[in-house]
Amino acid sequence: AQSVTQLDSQVPVFEEAPVELRCNYSSSVSVYLFWYVQYPNQGLQLLLKYLSGSTLVKGINGFEAEFNKSQTSFHLRKPSVHISDTAEYFCAVLAQGGSEKLVFGKGTKLTVNP
Amino acid sequence: DTGVSQDPRHKITKRGQNVTFRCDPISEHNRLYWYRQTLGQGPEFLTYFQNEAQLEKSRLLSDRFSAERPKGSFSTLEIQRTEQGDSAMYLCASSPGTRRKGNYGYTFGSGTRLTVV
């Protein structure tokens, strides 16, 4: 079975500051990794994904994430945030070659203040 | 590509009533998923279809829940005898079936928010 831990439930930052949202996972098999963003009363939008290859992946809206297998982490970063980045961010894993079930963390609420 | 559509967006129902939600996936996607999201939590997997076949169900999907995808296109999720604990956002997602292309990453709809009073 897989599990995902998002270490911070809330992250407040000022506009134009850098931000890192932390994600650790646990799995007995290899996984694919995802970050999704959810704006209020909306569904989830895929920000980026790691399937294989380079451990640094770039996504939409200037976000990037780095896969660290030894630390079983997949932290999300952005060098300079905007007010419009205020949203809930979810890390998720999918077991390779097995279940179709995406397993999500509990989410991190990012609030960007002026 | 019109995205994944869910209907209704909001539903308020009295405890004990039955409700049905509809999901229309992206037309060329043959995989369809249902998730439930309660307040302050991440989405939890309920079930998934490949075409019309329901291939995986979560233990969260009690006997009061049933999902169908009769022609491999749209899907419905019915909850019978609703309980207050069923109040949640119900999310539908779809994805292409061709894993060989590494085409992972589901497209989610905007969800149906259910409130049981």
Side-chain angles (χ1 to χ4, degrees):
Chain A
Q2 292 73 46
S3 67
V4 176
T5 302
Q6 291 186 242
L7 296 153
D8 306 293
S9 59
Q10 297 187 55
V11 173
V13 294
F14 288 109
E15 195 173 16
E16 296 183 7
V19 71
E20 178 180 81
L21 306 183
R22 296 180 294 168
C23 171
N24 286 88
Y25 69 92
S26 172
S27 176
S28 56
V29 300
S30 296
V31 295
Y32 302 116
L33 295 143
F34 306 84
W35 275 99
Y36 283 87
V37 60
Q38 186 176 36
Y39 299 101
N41 296 315
Q42 294 193 22
L44 286 80
Q45 180 182 8
L46 181 66
L47 276 178
L48 48 79
K49 59 190 174 189
Y50 174 78
L51 304 182
S52 64
S54 172
T55 56
L56 182 64
V57 292
K58 295 188 183 297
I60 62 171
N61 301 340
F63 284 94
E64 62 181 33
E66 185 154 22
F67 170 54
N68 187 319
K69 188 173 183 179
S70 62
Q71 296 187 1
T72 59
S73 68
F74 190 53
H75 301 332
L76 181 70
R77 302 186 184 102
K78 186 169 182 178
S80 175
V81 294
H82 303 290
I83 298 283
S84 59
D85 292 323
T86 295
E88 188 99 30
Y89 291 80
F90 293 95
C91 181
V93 300
L94 177 68
Q96 293 187 23
S99 167
E100 283 290 316
K101 181 173 65 174
L102 256 182
V103 176
F104 287 86
K106 291 188 176 183
T108 297
K109 171 66 176 171
L110 174 65
T111 302
V112 181
N113 297 302
Chain B
D1 180 356
T2 57
V4 177
S5 300
Q6 292 189 246
D7 183 70
R9 289 294 307 275
H10 303 275
K11 178 72 176 179
I12 299 174
T13 190
K14 292 183 178 179
R15 188 161 50 99
Q17 297 294 304
N18 299 344
V19 294
T20 301
F21 312 139
R22 177 181 170 122
C23 171
D24 287 88
I26 292 173
S27 58
E28 61 267 28
H29 286 182
N30 61 12
R31 296 185 180 198
L32 185 148
Y33 312 82
W34 285 99
Y35 284 77
R36 182 175 71 183
Q37 185 179 20
T38 53
L39 205 60
Q41 301 294 318
E44 296 172 293
F45 172 83
L46 291 178
T47 188
Y48 119 84
F49 291 84
Q50 179 154 328
N51 299 313
E52 66 275 10
Q54 188 173 19
L55 297 185
E56 193 171 352
K57 291 169 62 172
S58 164
R59 285 174 295 177
L60 291 175
L61 213 64
S62 75
D63 291 344
R64 296 185 297 106
F65 288 70
S66 63
E68 295 183 343
R69 195 183 182 196
K71 296 183 179 180
S73 56
F74 73 91
S75 175
T76 58
L77 177 68
E78 181 184 17
I79 309 174
Q80 297 181 328
R81 304 180 304 282
T82 52
E83 302 172 356
Q84 286 190 322
D86 296 331
S87 295
M89 174 81 88
Y90 290 84
L91 294 163
C92 177
S94 69
S95 74
T98 49
R99 283 274 181 112
R100 290 189 304 276
K101 296 181 182 178
N103 205 353
Y104 299 91
Y106 310 154
T107 302
F108 281 84
S110 296
T112 294
R113 182 167 296 283
L114 173 67
T115 303
V116 182
V117 297

